[in-house]
Every structure is written in C-alpha cells, then in structure tokens.
Amino acid sequence: MSGFWSRLISLTRKEFRQLLRDRSNLAIGILLPMVLILIFGYGMSLDVKNAPVAVVMEDASPTAHEAIAGLQLSPTIAPVLLGSMHDAEELMRERKVDGIVRIPSDFSRALAAGNARVQLIVHGADAGRATIIQAYVSGALAQTAVRQADRRGSTSGADAPPVGSVTVEQRMWFNAANTSTWYLVPGLIVLIMTLVGAFLTALVMAREWERGTLEALFVTPVRPVEILLAKIIPYFGVGMLGLALCLLAARFLFAVPMYGSLVVVVFSSMLYLIVAVSLGLVISSVTRNQFLASQIALIATFMPSMMLSGFLFDLRNVPTAVRVIGHALPATYFMDLIKTLFLAGDVWPLIWRNCAILLCYAVGLLLIARAVTRKSLDRGAKETR
C-alpha cells in the first residue's frame, strides 16, 4: 500500500508540474472561466435600458406632451422627438430606433371625448425586446388616462364611464410571427461561417505544421501568396456550402423570410468568410500547434461571435468597455447586416457601411496572414538547412 501512495504522489506531482509548464492549459482552466464570469456577470444583460423610440408629435398641444411625459422620465425608453412618420420609418429600417409612437393630430380632442388612439410600431427582430417595449410604452401611455380622470373627478363613481381612455394600436415590423426563430436563425449563419472559416482553418493548418507536411514547401520556389490561396480556396468552398445549407434551412425548415436581396446576402457572406479564413490562417501560422490553435480560435473567434456580436444580447444594453470590444469584432457588422437583410430588406446605407468595414477587415487580415506565413516559411527554411 505504501508503494501505491508513493507512486500516486509522484505521478500527481509530475502532472502538476506539467500543468504549470503548459501555459495554454492554465489559460483554459483559469483565464477562460474568469472571462466568462466577467462577461456574463457584468457585460451581458437581458434588461432593456434606454431603448430609442421615435415619438412623432402630430399634435403639439400640452395634453399631447403630457401623454409622453412618462416616456421621457423612464430609464427603459429613450424617446426621440420627430416631426414626420417618414423620418421615423427611415430610422426604424436602419435600426436606429426600436419603435415608433405616433401621437395623431386629433389626440387632445379624442382624449377629451374618451376615445383617444395612439399608434405604436415596434421593431420585432428581437421578439423578447419588442414585447418589453410594447408593455412599457402601453403602460406609460395608460397613465395619461388616469391623470385625466383624476383631474375630472371621474374616479369616484364605480359606474361612471371612463374619461380620457387611451387605446394603443400595436403593430410589429420585421417579425410578423413574433417568434425568436426569425431573430436567431440568421445569426446562426454568422456562427457557422465563423466555425468553418476561422476555427476549422486554424485547426487544419496547425495540424499540417505539426506533422511537417509544409516543410516540403521550403525547398520549392512556391510563394507565400500561392500558399495562402491554396489554403483559402478549399475552406472558402466549404464555408459557401455551409451558407447554402443555412439559407435552405432558414427557408424550408424554419420559414424565415428574406426581404433583402439574395445577391447582397451571398456577397456579404463571401466578404465575411474571407475575413474568417484569413483570421484562421493567422492563428495557425503564429501558434503552429493544433491544440493551442483550436483554443485560441475558440476564444478569439467563435465565443465572441456568439456572445459579443449581438447574436444573443443587444450591445446597446452592455457596459461601454464590452460594447467597444463587440464593435471591434468583424462578426458584429456581419451579424447586423445579415439580420437586416433577412428581416428588414435592402437598407442601403447600412449595407454599404457594413460591407465597407468587412472589406477593410478582409484586406487587413490577408496582408497580416501573408506577412506571418512568409515569416514562418523563412524560419522553417532556416531550420531545414
């Protein structure tokens, strides 16, 4: 028995030393849990705060301004006063506001008669967020009726007719089915293309470095650009196949509509796929280790794409530091673009802006991948001499 404990203690001590020597294991065991705790504890929130809502004041009377007073003092709603429905609808299409409250021109007269109506239009891409905004705006507008009744003394009689009642006519844009599936399925395209482009490319390339199959290139006149293209083309094709499967599933399995142009969807997806594949090449060339490359790709690409790109959480509800990190990710711009194309249509200012950003990421990462690959080839060539 003493021999058993002696061997066990020796083996355990050896494993602890190996664990301390391998920094990647420490990063996964200690750093990753700390990052997840900070992100989910401080950075992520399902609460709705300062949701921008356009308020179209077609009635400029004091009664109408009193009706929206509850919105202006709310930490949940951030009203944006506008003069026309056209401007409000443009902001809604560009996702700069989450809803529109329309105060009609006859609001004061109708309120005095007891049958005032207010139109509420909510951006329904995120069904949960839309429901919260609907509930709060409706409750805030209903307080107008209570205040009106208090002033007229109409609350004393149980059988007295309601005075100053406000009816909120609700509509939901871009998600007529009011289901989270329409919100999540387009986002899955981003996650799948990130997984195929960055994670798979980094893993396979690092395996080739480990096995030494790339060393045969050191004695040939092959150029770094040719190596990059040869590595990008196969995984680019796999990524486009994944895109086709996602589009077919969205249409025939989940019945998610696509209001935007299919050509724009494919073009923007190609841009993002180039970004993802280039990032995978950079990771694999720097690490040259299959296990480490897979962990870095997971932490640096897939997990941020899932948690910090707007797939699950609205970035407007997170702390500033987390929001800055989220907007530094190329997945954030592709997520915004693909959801807009599916649910809102061809909003060209948003399309041009996000495609331009993705193009800059693609060019920059390709140049970095080329430089890193050249350096790795030069280092490998020196080692083989």
Side-chain angles (χ1 to χ4, degrees):
M1 183 63 67
S2 60
F4 167 79
W5 288 110
S6 176
R7 291 191 298 271
L8 178 61
I9 293 173
S10 299
L11 290 172
T12 303
R13 186 183 298 116
K14 187 267 293 183
E15 292 299 330
F16 267 111
R17 290 175 179 172
Q18 180 66 28
L19 175 64
L20 294 177
R21 282 197 298 265
D22 193 341
R23 296 182 180 179
S24 62
N25 288 336
L26 291 177
I28 297 171
I30 299 176
L31 181 60
L32 181 58
M34 292 177 59
V35 171
L36 292 177
I37 290 172
L38 293 176
I39 289 178
F40 280 97
Y42 291 101
M44 301 293 98
S45 175
L46 296 176
D47 300 329
V48 177
K49 298 178 182 178
N50 297 319
V53 174
V55 179
V56 181
M57 299 294 296
E58 296 178 353
D59 185 352
S61 66
T63 303
H65 282 279
E66 182 185 2
I68 66 169
L71 301 179
Q72 294 174 324
L73 300 176
S74 165
T76 304
I77 304 298
V80 180
L81 298 180
L82 298 174
S84 69
M85 278 295 294
H86 179 269
D87 294 339
E89 291 173 0
E90 287 296 321
L91 292 180
M92 177 83 96
R93 291 189 181 93
E94 297 179 14
R95 197 62 194 277
K96 293 182 179 180
V97 296
D98 291 327
I100 301 174
V101 176
R102 184 178 187 179
I103 308 296
S105 58
D106 62 343
F107 176 80
S108 300
R109 183 173 65 256
L111 184 63
N115 59 352
R117 294 180 179 274
V118 174
Q119 186 180 25
L120 171 62
I121 305 173
V122 181
H123 198 298
D126 187 343
R129 183 180 179 87
T131 301
I132 294 174
I133 294 174
Q134 283 180 332
Y136 190 88
V137 172
S138 299
L141 293 175
Q143 294 300 315
T144 304
V146 176
R147 291 191 296 268
Q148 187 81 356
D150 288 340
R151 282 196 298 268
R152 295 193 177 192
S154 301
T155 58
S156 57
D159 298 330
V163 178
S165 62
V166 177
T167 301
V168 179
E169 298 178 345
Q170 300 182 1
R171 292 178 56 194
M172 187 172 292
W173 281 11
F174 312 129
N175 191 349
N178 192 20
T179 173
S180 60
T181 302
W182 287 20
Y183 176 75
L184 295 175
V185 170
L188 288 175
I189 296 177
V190 182
L191 298 185
I192 291 174
M193 297 188 72
T194 301
L195 185 65
V196 173
F199 187 80
L200 184 60
T201 303
L203 192 65
V204 174
M205 281 290 294
R207 183 168 65 240
E208 292 193 29
W209 281 113
E210 280 187 339
R211 294 178 177 177
T213 56
L214 291 179
E215 292 181 357
L217 297 174
F218 301 155
V219 295
T220 67
V222 68
R223 298 178 180 178
V225 175
E226 297 168 354
I227 297 176
L228 290 178
L229 291 177
K231 298 301 179 183
I232 287 175
I233 291 174
Y235 298 105
F236 184 85
V238 174
M240 294 306 294
L241 178 60
L243 172 65
L245 294 175
C246 289
L247 294 178
L248 291 174
R251 177 64 180 88
F252 297 105
L253 293 183
F254 304 106
V256 180
M258 183 191 295
Y259 295 108
S261 169
L262 179 61
V263 175
V264 179
V265 170
V266 174
F267 175 76
S268 60
S269 300
M270 292 171 64
L271 274 180
Y272 180 71
L273 189 55
I274 294 174
V275 172
V277 171
S278 301
L279 188 56
L281 289 174
V282 172
I283 293 173
S284 63
S285 297
V286 171
T287 60
R288 302 178 66 174
N289 178 276
Q290 187 176 181
F291 175 76
L292 185 58
S294 65
Q295 300 307 313
I296 292 178
L298 180 66
I299 296 174
T301 61
F302 184 74
M303 291 182 62
S305 298
M306 181 173 63
M307 294 187 295
L308 300 178
S309 66
F311 174 65
L312 295 177
F313 309 97
D314 195 317
L315 291 180
R316 290 171 293 184
N317 292 338
V318 302
T320 303
V322 179
R323 191 182 307 119
V324 170
I325 296 173
H327 283 291
L329 301 173
T332 301
Y333 302 98
F334 184 50
M335 186 75 70
D336 184 30
L337 182 57
I338 202 71
K339 287 184 176 181
T340 301
L341 289 170
F342 263 86
L343 302 178
D346 295 330
V347 183
W348 288 107
L350 185 144
I351 292 172
W352 288 121
R353 183 191 67 203
N354 288 350
C355 283
I357 294 174
L358 290 176
L359 180 61
C360 291
Y361 271 109
V363 173
L365 286 172
L366 281 175
L367 293 176
I368 294 174
R370 183 180 184 277
V372 173
T373 303
R374 177 188 292 274
K375 184 177 180 180
S376 299
L377 287 174
D378 291 342
R379 183 174 61 187
K382 291 179 181 178
E383 292 173 355
T384 57
R385 292 191 184 119

